[in-house]
Amino acid sequence: MTDPAQTLRTPPVSALTIGLWAAQGALALIFAGGGVWKIVTPIERVAEAFAWAGEVPPGLFYATAALDILGGIGVLLPSLTRIRPGVTVLAALGCVALQASAIVFHLSRGEAADAPVNVLFIALALFVAWGRHSMAPIAPRA
């Protein structure tokens, strides 16, 4: 005979699952928060913190902001809602591509000192893509 309390118990949460949720939350805050900041702050003010912002066409600047927002939302929201959670993996890979592009951009401008943070974001996004694809995928809603 099975114990009813036993059947209602949820499985223990693994360290990997906690790490993935933490990485997803961090990426969402970093990307979506940064993208919103770029959009609502005048370019001149952003350029005080990031010189490149004042040296590229406004269209490129706002395109990066939009991609940041989409990446930040995509890396977290599908997993939270369990609506098309596979999009999380694609969004994480998109964040990798965006950050790889940022590294190339910064290196081409002689700004190698800016690249390590991009490498960190790539590592986080690759961790999420790997984890949510292979190790701890989230099942879609039934």
Side-chain angles (χ1 to χ4, degrees):
M1 191 166 218
T2 60
D3 177 13
Q6 183 75 11
T7 59
L8 296 176
R9 214 173 285 153
T10 59
V13 177
S14 71
L16 176 63
T17 301
I18 293 169
L20 285 167
W21 281 114
Q24 287 175 258
L27 287 170
L29 285 172
I30 291 163
F31 279 89
V36 168
W37 176 71
K38 285 179 190 176
I39 287 175
V40 301
T41 305
I43 293 177
E44 298 77 27
R45 296 248 348 259
V46 176
E48 292 172 8
F50 304 105
W52 68 267
E55 299 170 3
V56 298
L60 176 61
F61 175 78
Y62 288 117
T64 63
L67 291 172
D68 285 344
I69 292 168
L70 291 172
I73 291 169
V75 85
L76 184 61
L77 193 61
S79 292
L80 279 177
T81 62
R82 293 181 36 216
I83 298 172
R84 305 205 31 105
V87 170
T88 292
V89 174
L90 298 175
L93 293 174
C95 290
V96 169
L98 185 61
Q99 292 304 300
S101 299
I103 290 171
V104 170
F105 175 78
H106 288 305
L107 292 177
S108 74
R109 293 173 42 89
E111 301 168 344
D114 292 339
V117 71
N118 300 114
V119 172
L120 173 65
F121 296 158
I122 286 174
L124 277 174
L126 284 173
F127 172 64
V128 169
W130 165 79
R132 289 302 181 204
H133 179 264
S134 302
M135 302 304 294
I138 294 178
R141 284 187 186 191

